[in-house]
Amino acid sequence: MKMSTEGSKIDTHSVLPDKYRANLHLEDPTVQWRYGKLPTYESANQLFEEGRTKVWPKGSLEETVQNAVKSWQVEINNKARLQDFKTINPEKFKFFVNGREGLSGEEVLGDGSFNAMLKSSLPDEYKFYKAAEETHESAHNDFKTCFPRGFAWEVIEVYSPPPLIAYKFRHWGFFEGPYKSHSPTGEMVQFYGMGVLKVDSSMKIEEVHVYFDPTELFGGLLKGKRTASESKTAHSSASACPLFNLQK
């Protein structure tokens, strides 16, 4: 894996400070990036600014929580080593989704955030997303392809302050590229959820709890028509799934 060694020459020459991810342009040159370089979010930020439903006052609890989660998302999706994370307490960190058993930082880093979020205990024939068959890279590439302008995220409401922060969120993007064998519809795909962050006195995350309905996401993606070569196979498997027959 290629390691960034030029530090500020890379980080500040071509990348302006990110308004929502305070540390992104201040990263140490020893950080190992999964894709060989520091990520940029210009397109996703534009999508966020054009589509958000809330504009939180600077310095508010809501803005603080929103930016903290965005910064954590940068790290979990782009850093190759847990030791380079600034947003979490790696010794205590656990990630819980929809009440499932918590995953350690290393487990989430290995699986990738999409796979960690979309694991399911359903029998294989009923799964519309099979996390065990995906890697961090394959899932990342699939969602980057189907949401070419990015997959924006906002805080809708914050219900409690640190150290146990409860909040509601919205995640959205425009289905403008293919998702696996499904053709893009051009429509906005979005879902809502609830989250809880347990943080220490330095706002480093010890636990993330997320609750959401993944069918809100896949209901939009699987509406796209399948390619002719996939249609017959898809029909038989979809008909077997009473929970998620969306191929029509």
Side-chain angles (χ1 to χ4, degrees), residues 73-212:
Q73 290 172 339
V74 169
E75 295 194 314
I76 205 66
N77 287 318
N78 293 280
K79 288 186 174 179
R81 305 182 304 183
L82 205 65
Q83 69 196 60
D84 292 328
F85 280 46
K86 297 177 181 177
T87 60
I88 71 170
N89 180 333
E91 295 180 359
K92 294 184 177 181
F93 181 81
K94 287 285 186 179
F95 184 49
F96 302 84
V97 180
N98 289 338
R100 295 196 298 269
E101 183 179 354
L103 300 173
S104 69
E106 290 290 357
E107 288 174 318
V108 179
L109 194 62
D111 291 344
S113 61
F114 286 113
N115 290 325
M117 286 279 288
L118 296 171
K119 285 184 177 180
S120 172
S121 58
L122 288 171
D124 280 350
E125 62 267 27
Y126 294 153
K127 290 179 182 177
F128 42 86
Y129 182 90
K130 297 183 179 181
E133 297 178 5
E134 303 286 350
T135 64
H136 178 114
E137 286 73 22
S138 68
H140 179 88
N141 288 336
D142 282 344
F143 285 100
K144 186 176 180 180
T145 299
C146 73
F147 297 128
R149 286 193 275 164
F151 199 25
W153 189 94
E154 70 171 334
V155 161
I156 299 295
E157 195 164 356
V158 176
Y159 301 103
S160 59
L164 203 60
I165 306 167
Y167 59 93
K168 182 178 180 180
F169 67 87
R170 171 179 171 247
H171 221 333
W172 77 99
F174 286 89
F175 185 18
E176 296 170 329
Y179 175 71
K180 296 188 180 296
S181 61
H182 293 273
S183 300
T185 64
E187 297 177 355
M188 183 173 70
V189 175
Q190 65 180 343
F191 67 89
Y192 292 83
M194 303 292 295
V196 177
L197 297 180
K198 182 180 179 182
V199 299
D200 64 18
S201 58
S202 300
M203 277 294 288
K204 289 194 173 183
I205 301 170
E206 296 181 346
E207 293 182 8
V208 177
H209 297 254
V210 178
Y211 302 89
F212 76 108

Side-chain angles (χ1 to χ4, degrees), residues 22-36:
N23 291 326
L24 190 56
H25 63 294
L26 300 174
E27 291 287 2
D28 192 283
T30 63
V31 170
Q32 289 190 12
W33 296 101
R34 184 181 291 271
Y35 301 103

